[in-house]
Amino acid sequence: MIAALLPAPLLVPLLSGVLLAAAAPAVADPHAAILGTWHNPKNSVAVKTGRCGDKLCGWVIRATEKAKADVTSKGYPPLLGTALLRDYRATGTSRWSGQIYVPDMGRAFGSTVTMVDADTLNVKGCLIGGFICKSQIWRRD
């Protein structure tokens, strides 16, 4: 039907554009590289990252007995299932910003996560508008 309405010189570029658009890859998922299970430097906690709406979150899926006891002895909720990484959004190539929850303090802080390589994250949390910060290197399980 369209071919009957358009002259041949216009039809070829139009069809080529439609075919190219159909073959183009979908927009890349900004969280794909970071999805998986990660553990902290002491291997006392493992966090599984995943999508939470259009953002990235990470939940505790494994913890040592000592780590669990440290949190419950201070009156905070059980460690397993707790979202440590909250509402992170991509802020650059291999970089996300959000809130990190520190279970034994019962507080969340501003944070950035940067992928150093495919199996290494630099997780940084800051107090007082970024003046006091602490970083940890997390490894992929």
Side-chain angles (χ1 to χ4, degrees):
M1 179 91 149
I2 293 175
L5 299 174
L6 294 173
L10 293 177
L11 185 59
V12 172
L14 176 66
L15 289 176
S16 296
V18 169
L19 291 174
L20 285 174
V27 175
D29 178 357
H31 306 310
I34 198 173
L35 298 178
T37 303
W38 302 87
H39 63 85
N40 67 346
K42 294 181 181 178
N43 203 22
S44 59
V45 174
V47 174
K48 179 152 182 92
T49 55
R51 291 172 189 83
C52 48
D54 64 343
K55 296 188 176 118
L56 176 81
C57 294
W59 301 269
V60 177
I61 60 166
R62 185 180 70 240
T64 63
E65 291 305 314
K66 181 182 180 327
K68 290 188 274 188
D70 285 347
V71 172
T72 56
S73 70
K74 294 178 180 169
Y76 298 114
L79 190 54
L80 293 181
T82 298
L84 293 189
L85 304 179
R86 299 175 175 183
D87 297 326
Y88 283 74
R89 64 185 149 282
T91 56
T93 304
S94 301
R95 185 178 167 94
W96 296 262
S97 293
Q99 295 281 308
I100 189 161
Y101 178 72
V102 180
D104 58 349
M105 293 178 72
R107 293 189 51 202
F109 301 97
S111 171
T112 58
V113 174
T114 305
M115 262 190 121
V116 177
D117 60 42
D119 295 320
T120 310
L121 295 178
N122 183 343
V123 180
K124 181 178 176 182
C126 297
L127 301 170
I128 311 170
F131 289 109
I132 301 172
C133 299
K134 181 179 178 184
S135 293
Q136 285 186 340
I137 298 296
W138 289 10
R139 305 264 183 224
R140 191 182 295 272
D141 259 356

mmCIF file of all heavy atoms in Angstrom, residues 37-72:
data_model
loop_
_atom_site.group_PDB
_atom_site.id
_atom_site.type_symbol
_atom_site.label_atom_id
_atom_site.label_comp_id
_atom_site.label_asym_id
_atom_site.label_seq_id
_atom_site.Cartn_x
_atom_site.Cartn_y
_atom_site.Cartn_z
ATOM 1 N N THR A 37 26.140 -11.057 42.981
ATOM 2 C CA THR A 37 26.373 -11.169 44.422
ATOM 3 C C THR A 37 27.780 -10.693 44.735
ATOM 4 O O THR A 37 28.742 -11.090 44.069
ATOM 5 C CB THR A 37 26.180 -12.627 44.889
ATOM 6 O OG1 THR A 37 24.858 -13.049 44.536
ATOM 7 C CG2 THR A 37 26.357 -12.749 46.392
ATOM 8 N N TRP A 38 27.886 -9.852 45.751
ATOM 9 C CA TRP A 38 29.143 -9.214 46.135
ATOM 10 C C TRP A 38 29.384 -9.433 47.615
ATOM 11 O O TRP A 38 28.443 -9.503 48.407
ATOM 12 C CB TRP A 38 29.066 -7.708 45.856
ATOM 13 C CG TRP A 38 28.764 -7.402 44.425
ATOM 14 C CD1 TRP A 38 27.529 -7.302 43.849
ATOM 15 C CD2 TRP A 38 29.712 -7.182 43.392
ATOM 16 N NE1 TRP A 38 27.655 -7.019 42.516
ATOM 17 C CE2 TRP A 38 28.980 -6.942 42.206
ATOM 18 C CE3 TRP A 38 31.097 -7.152 43.341
ATOM 19 C CZ2 TRP A 38 29.600 -6.688 40.984
ATOM 20 C CZ3 TRP A 38 31.710 -6.890 42.127
ATOM 21 C CH2 TRP A 38 30.967 -6.657 40.968
ATOM 22 N N HIS A 39 30.646 -9.525 48.025
ATOM 23 C CA HIS A 39 30.942 -9.643 49.454
ATOM 24 C C HIS A 39 31.925 -8.567 49.883
ATOM 25 O O HIS A 39 32.739 -8.083 49.101
ATOM 26 C CB HIS A 39 31.440 -11.052 49.819
ATOM 27 C CG HIS A 39 32.730 -11.444 49.163
ATOM 28 N ND1 HIS A 39 33.950 -11.121 49.683
ATOM 29 C CD2 HIS A 39 32.968 -12.131 48.023
ATOM 30 C CE1 HIS A 39 34.902 -11.601 48.905
ATOM 31 N NE2 HIS A 39 34.328 -12.221 47.884
ATOM 32 N N ASN A 40 31.794 -8.207 51.168
ATOM 33 C CA ASN A 40 32.639 -7.155 51.737
ATOM 34 C C ASN A 40 34.050 -7.694 51.981
ATOM 35 O O ASN A 40 34.299 -8.892 51.819
ATOM 36 C CB ASN A 40 31.990 -6.588 53.005
ATOM 37 C CG ASN A 40 31.923 -7.588 54.140
ATOM 38 O OD1 ASN A 40 32.124 -8.791 53.961
ATOM 39 N ND2 ASN A 40 31.605 -7.110 55.320
ATOM 40 N N PRO A 41 35.006 -6.828 52.368
ATOM 41 C CA PRO A 41 36.399 -7.260 52.511
ATOM 42 C C PRO A 41 36.613 -8.415 53.485
ATOM 43 O O PRO A 41 37.480 -9.263 53.259
ATOM 44 C CB PRO A 41 37.124 -6.002 53.007
ATOM 45 C CG PRO A 41 36.288 -4.871 52.535
ATOM 46 C CD PRO A 41 34.872 -5.374 52.570
ATOM 47 N N LYS A 42 35.850 -8.466 54.570
ATOM 48 C CA LYS A 42 36.022 -9.543 55.555
ATOM 49 C C LYS A 42 35.198 -10.782 55.209
ATOM 50 O O LYS A 42 35.219 -11.755 55.941
ATOM 51 C CB LYS A 42 35.621 -9.043 56.940
ATOM 52 C CG LYS A 42 36.541 -7.962 57.480
ATOM 53 C CD LYS A 42 36.093 -7.536 58.854
ATOM 54 C CE LYS A 42 36.991 -6.435 59.384
ATOM 55 N NZ LYS A 42 36.557 -5.957 60.703
ATOM 56 N N ASN A 43 34.456 -10.716 54.105
ATOM 57 C CA ASN A 43 33.562 -11.799 53.681
ATOM 58 C C ASN A 43 32.545 -12.139 54.778
ATOM 59 O O ASN A 43 32.104 -13.274 54.891
ATOM 60 C CB ASN A 43 34.349 -13.038 53.249
ATOM 61 C CG ASN A 43 33.549 -13.925 52.324
ATOM 62 O OD1 ASN A 43 32.598 -13.485 51.684
ATOM 63 N ND2 ASN A 43 33.914 -15.185 52.254
ATOM 64 N N SER A 44 32.185 -11.136 55.559
ATOM 65 C CA SER A 44 31.213 -11.354 56.633
ATOM 66 C C SER A 44 29.783 -11.119 56.162
ATOM 67 O O SER A 44 28.834 -11.529 56.819
ATOM 68 C CB SER A 44 31.523 -10.449 57.831
ATOM 69 O OG SER A 44 31.489 -9.091 57.442
ATOM 70 N N VAL A 45 29.630 -10.474 55.005
ATOM 71 C CA VAL A 45 28.312 -10.168 54.452
ATOM 72 C C VAL A 45 28.370 -10.342 52.934
ATOM 73 O O VAL A 45 29.338 -9.926 52.296
ATOM 74 C CB VAL A 45 27.892 -8.718 54.797
ATOM 75 C CG1 VAL A 45 26.599 -8.329 54.106
ATOM 76 C CG2 VAL A 45 27.762 -8.533 56.297
ATOM 77 N N ALA A 46 27.315 -10.942 52.374
ATOM 78 C CA ALA A 46 27.154 -11.021 50.921
ATOM 79 C C ALA A 46 25.883 -10.266 50.557
ATOM 80 O O ALA A 46 24.848 -10.403 51.221
ATOM 81 C CB ALA A 46 27.069 -12.463 50.459
ATOM 82 N N VAL A 47 25.979 -9.457 49.504
ATOM 83 C CA VAL A 47 24.875 -8.601 49.064
ATOM 84 C C VAL A 47 24.541 -8.955 47.618
ATOM 85 O O VAL A 47 25.431 -8.997 46.770
ATOM 86 C CB VAL A 47 25.278 -7.109 49.169
ATOM 87 C CG1 VAL A 47 24.211 -6.205 48.576
ATOM 88 C CG2 VAL A 47 25.571 -6.745 50.615
ATOM 89 N N LYS A 48 23.272 -9.195 47.365
ATOM 90 C CA LYS A 48 22.805 -9.465 45.999
ATOM 91 C C LYS A 48 22.193 -8.191 45.451
ATOM 92 O O LYS A 48 21.266 -7.634 46.026
ATOM 93 C CB LYS A 48 21.776 -10.580 45.980
ATOM 94 C CG LYS A 48 21.268 -10.868 44.582
ATOM 95 C CD LYS A 48 20.826 -12.280 44.447
ATOM 96 C CE LYS A 48 20.364 -12.574 43.043
ATOM 97 N NZ LYS A 48 21.411 -13.082 42.219
ATOM 98 N N THR A 49 22.753 -7.707 44.340
ATOM 99 C CA THR A 49 22.238 -6.490 43.713
ATOM 100 C C THR A 49 21.141 -6.850 42.717
ATOM 101 O O THR A 49 21.167 -7.917 42.098
ATOM 102 C CB THR A 49 23.350 -5.706 43.000
ATOM 103 O OG1 THR A 49 24.001 -6.567 42.071
ATOM 104 C CG2 THR A 49 24.353 -5.149 43.982
ATOM 105 N N GLY A 50 20.190 -5.940 42.588
ATOM 106 C CA GLY A 50 19.093 -6.137 41.653
ATOM 107 C C GLY A 50 18.344 -4.837 41.438
ATOM 108 O O GLY A 50 18.609 -3.829 42.098
ATOM 109 N N ARG A 51 17.405 -4.884 40.547
ATOM 110 C CA ARG A 51 16.612 -3.691 40.237
ATOM 111 C C ARG A 51 15.543 -3.478 41.300
ATOM 112 O O ARG A 51 14.946 -4.419 41.795
ATOM 113 C CB ARG A 51 15.968 -3.853 38.871
ATOM 114 C CG ARG A 51 16.980 -3.824 37.748
ATOM 115 C CD ARG A 51 16.351 -4.188 36.407
ATOM 116 N NE ARG A 51 17.365 -4.348 35.399
ATOM 117 C CZ ARG A 51 18.071 -5.465 35.208
ATOM 118 N NH1 ARG A 51 17.865 -6.510 35.956
ATOM 119 N NH2 ARG A 51 18.981 -5.518 34.264
ATOM 120 N N CYS A 52 15.318 -2.226 41.616
ATOM 121 C CA CYS A 52 14.195 -1.813 42.467
ATOM 122 C C CYS A 52 13.533 -0.662 41.721
ATOM 123 O O CYS A 52 13.958 0.471 41.833
ATOM 124 C CB CYS A 52 14.656 -1.444 43.879
ATOM 125 S SG CYS A 52 16.070 -0.342 43.986
ATOM 126 N N GLY A 53 12.578 -1.014 40.890
ATOM 127 C CA GLY A 53 12.011 -0.028 39.971
ATOM 128 C C GLY A 53 13.042 0.275 38.904
ATOM 129 O O GLY A 53 13.649 -0.633 38.346
ATOM 130 N N ASP A 54 13.290 1.555 38.650
ATOM 131 C CA ASP A 54 14.294 1.941 37.652
ATOM 132 C C ASP A 54 15.663 2.178 38.284
ATOM 133 O O ASP A 54 16.584 2.635 37.639
ATOM 134 C CB ASP A 54 13.842 3.175 36.869
ATOM 135 C CG ASP A 54 13.696 4.411 37.747
ATOM 136 O OD1 ASP A 54 13.635 4.270 38.979
ATOM 137 O OD2 ASP A 54 13.631 5.522 37.191
ATOM 138 N N LYS A 55 15.780 1.856 39.562
ATOM 139 C CA LYS A 55 17.039 2.063 40.278
ATOM 140 C C LYS A 55 17.673 0.722 40.632
ATOM 141 O O LYS A 55 17.171 -0.325 40.277
ATOM 142 C CB LYS A 55 16.777 2.901 41.518
ATOM 143 C CG LYS A 55 16.291 4.296 41.134
ATOM 144 C CD LYS A 55 16.200 5.206 42.310
ATOM 145 C CE LYS A 55 15.804 6.586 41.829
ATOM 146 N NZ LYS A 55 14.561 7.007 42.357
ATOM 147 N N LEU A 56 18.788 0.777 41.346
ATOM 148 C CA LEU A 56 19.531 -0.404 41.762
ATOM 149 C C LEU A 56 19.517 -0.477 43.275
ATOM 150 O O LEU A 56 19.688 0.545 43.955
ATOM 151 C CB LEU A 56 20.978 -0.295 41.260
ATOM 152 C CG LEU A 56 21.903 -1.416 41.697
ATOM 153 C CD1 LEU A 56 21.692 -2.627 40.793
ATOM 154 C CD2 LEU A 56 23.347 -0.963 41.637
ATOM 155 N N CYS A 57 19.335 -1.676 43.811
ATOM 156 C CA CYS A 57 19.392 -1.907 45.251
ATOM 157 C C CYS A 57 20.229 -3.153 45.508
ATOM 158 O O CYS A 57 20.562 -3.890 44.582
ATOM 159 C CB CYS A 57 17.985 -2.093 45.834
ATOM 160 S SG CYS A 57 16.960 -0.601 45.747
ATOM 161 N N GLY A 58 20.554 -3.389 46.773
ATOM 162 C CA GLY A 58 21.308 -4.586 47.142
ATOM 163 C C GLY A 58 20.893 -5.064 48.517
ATOM 164 O O GLY A 58 20.839 -4.276 49.459
ATOM 165 N N TRP A 59 20.570 -6.362 48.632
ATOM 166 C CA TRP A 59 20.057 -6.950 49.861
ATOM 167 C C TRP A 59 21.020 -7.985 50.422
ATOM 168 O O TRP A 59 21.647 -8.739 49.679
ATOM 169 C CB TRP A 59 18.715 -7.627 49.586
ATOM 170 C CG TRP A 59 17.688 -6.684 49.058
ATOM 171 C CD1 TRP A 59 16.790 -5.953 49.774
ATOM 172 C CD2 TRP A 59 17.450 -6.341 47.686
ATOM 173 N NE1 TRP A 59 16.020 -5.181 48.943
ATOM 174 C CE2 TRP A 59 16.391 -5.402 47.651
ATOM 175 C CE3 TRP A 59 18.021 -6.741 46.475
ATOM 176 C CZ2 TRP A 59 15.904 -4.866 46.468
ATOM 177 C CZ3 TRP A 59 17.536 -6.206 45.289
ATOM 178 C CH2 TRP A 59 16.489 -5.279 45.302
ATOM 179 N N VAL A 60 21.114 -8.055 51.739
ATOM 180 C CA VAL A 60 21.969 -9.042 52.406
ATOM 181 C C VAL A 60 21.345 -10.419 52.218
ATOM 182 O O VAL A 60 20.196 -10.642 52.586
ATOM 183 C CB VAL A 60 22.120 -8.727 53.912
ATOM 184 C CG1 VAL A 60 22.954 -9.807 54.596
ATOM 185 C CG2 VAL A 60 22.733 -7.351 54.116
ATOM 186 N N ILE A 61 22.127 -11.332 51.620
ATOM 187 C CA ILE A 61 21.639 -12.697 51.425
ATOM 188 C C ILE A 61 22.421 -13.708 52.262
ATOM 189 O O ILE A 61 21.999 -14.854 52.404
ATOM 190 C CB ILE A 61 21.678 -13.109 49.941
ATOM 191 C CG1 ILE A 61 23.096 -13.047 49.390
ATOM 192 C CG2 ILE A 61 20.719 -12.251 49.123
ATOM 193 C CD1 ILE A 61 23.266 -13.756 48.047
ATOM 194 N N ARG A 62 23.558 -13.272 52.807
ATOM 195 C CA ARG A 62 24.364 -14.157 53.647
ATOM 196 C C ARG A 62 25.158 -13.293 54.612
ATOM 197 O O ARG A 62 25.645 -12.218 54.241
ATOM 198 C CB ARG A 62 25.306 -14.979 52.760
ATOM 199 C CG ARG A 62 26.118 -16.024 53.513
ATOM 200 C CD ARG A 62 27.039 -16.825 52.596
ATOM 201 N NE ARG A 62 28.131 -15.995 52.093
ATOM 202 C CZ ARG A 62 28.372 -15.741 50.820
ATOM 203 N NH1 ARG A 62 27.609 -16.233 49.874
ATOM 204 N NH2 ARG A 62 29.387 -14.981 50.457
ATOM 205 N N ALA A 63 25.277 -13.769 55.849
ATOM 206 C CA ALA A 63 26.065 -13.045 56.850
ATOM 207 C C ALA A 63 26.599 -14.042 57.867
ATOM 208 O O ALA A 63 25.942 -15.053 58.160
ATOM 209 C CB ALA A 63 25.210 -11.989 57.546
ATOM 210 N N THR A 64 27.769 -13.743 58.405
ATOM 211 C CA THR A 64 28.325 -14.597 59.448
ATOM 212 C C THR A 64 27.489 -14.431 60.721
ATOM 213 O O THR A 64 26.770 -13.439 60.889
ATOM 214 C CB THR A 64 29.789 -14.230 59.740
ATOM 215 O OG1 THR A 64 29.830 -12.877 60.241
ATOM 216 C CG2 THR A 64 30.674 -14.359 58.506
ATOM 217 N N GLU A 65 27.615 -15.390 61.604
ATOM 218 C CA GLU A 65 26.896 -15.307 62.882
ATOM 219 C C GLU A 65 27.319 -14.063 63.658
ATOM 220 O O GLU A 65 26.491 -13.405 64.283
ATOM 221 C CB GLU A 65 27.122 -16.579 63.713
ATOM 222 C CG GLU A 65 26.464 -17.815 63.121
ATOM 223 C CD GLU A 65 24.965 -17.649 62.877
ATOM 224 O OE1 GLU A 65 24.256 -17.136 63.782
ATOM 225 O OE2 GLU A 65 24.504 -18.033 61.788
ATOM 226 N N LYS A 66 28.610 -13.723 63.607
ATOM 227 C CA LYS A 66 29.093 -12.534 64.308
ATOM 228 C C LYS A 66 28.450 -11.264 63.746
ATOM 229 O O LYS A 66 28.012 -10.392 64.496
ATOM 230 C CB LYS A 66 30.615 -12.425 64.216
ATOM 231 C CG LYS A 66 31.177 -11.219 64.961
ATOM 232 C CD LYS A 66 32.671 -11.112 64.823
ATOM 233 C CE LYS A 66 33.271 -9.930 65.539
ATOM 234 N NZ LYS A 66 32.532 -8.719 65.646
ATOM 235 N N ALA A 67 28.381 -11.148 62.421
ATOM 236 C CA ALA A 67 27.777 -9.964 61.795
ATOM 237 C C ALA A 67 26.303 -9.855 62.185
ATOM 238 O O ALA A 67 25.818 -8.764 62.510
ATOM 239 C CB ALA A 67 27.928 -10.030 60.282
ATOM 240 N N LYS A 68 25.588 -10.977 62.172
ATOM 241 C CA LYS A 68 24.169 -10.964 62.555
ATOM 242 C C LYS A 68 24.005 -10.565 64.018
ATOM 243 O O LYS A 68 23.136 -9.768 64.363
ATOM 244 C CB LYS A 68 23.529 -12.327 62.286
ATOM 245 C CG LYS A 68 23.388 -12.626 60.804
ATOM 246 C CD LYS A 68 22.583 -13.879 60.547
ATOM 247 C CE LYS A 68 23.440 -15.099 60.584
ATOM 248 N NZ LYS A 68 22.726 -16.325 60.147
ATOM 249 N N ALA A 69 24.869 -11.096 64.878
ATOM 250 C CA ALA A 69 24.791 -10.794 66.309
ATOM 251 C C ALA A 69 25.115 -9.326 66.592
ATOM 252 O O ALA A 69 24.490 -8.707 67.458
ATOM 253 C CB ALA A 69 25.732 -11.708 67.089
ATOM 254 N N ASP A 70 26.087 -8.754 65.872
ATOM 255 C CA ASP A 70 26.448 -7.339 66.063
ATOM 256 C C ASP A 70 25.244 -6.430 65.837
ATOM 257 O O ASP A 70 25.041 -5.453 66.553
ATOM 258 C CB ASP A 70 27.574 -6.922 65.101
ATOM 259 C CG ASP A 70 28.933 -7.445 65.517
ATOM 260 O OD1 ASP A 70 29.080 -7.930 66.660
ATOM 261 O OD2 ASP A 70 29.863 -7.375 64.678
ATOM 262 N N VAL A 71 24.447 -6.764 64.842
ATOM 263 C CA VAL A 71 23.287 -5.936 64.502
ATOM 264 C C VAL A 71 22.151 -6.146 65.505
ATOM 265 O O VAL A 71 21.591 -5.180 66.029
ATOM 266 C CB VAL A 71 22.826 -6.232 63.057
ATOM 267 C CG1 VAL A 71 21.515 -5.539 62.750
ATOM 268 C CG2 VAL A 71 23.901 -5.798 62.073
ATOM 269 N N THR A 72 21.832 -7.399 65.802
ATOM 270 C CA THR A 72 20.699 -7.657 66.703
ATOM 271 C C THR A 72 21.006 -7.236 68.135
ATOM 272 O O THR A 72 20.095 -6.818 68.859
ATOM 273 C CB THR A 72 20.263 -9.135 66.668
ATOM 274 O OG1 THR A 72 21.374 -9.972 66.977
ATOM 275 C CG2 THR A 72 19.710 -9.506 65.302
#
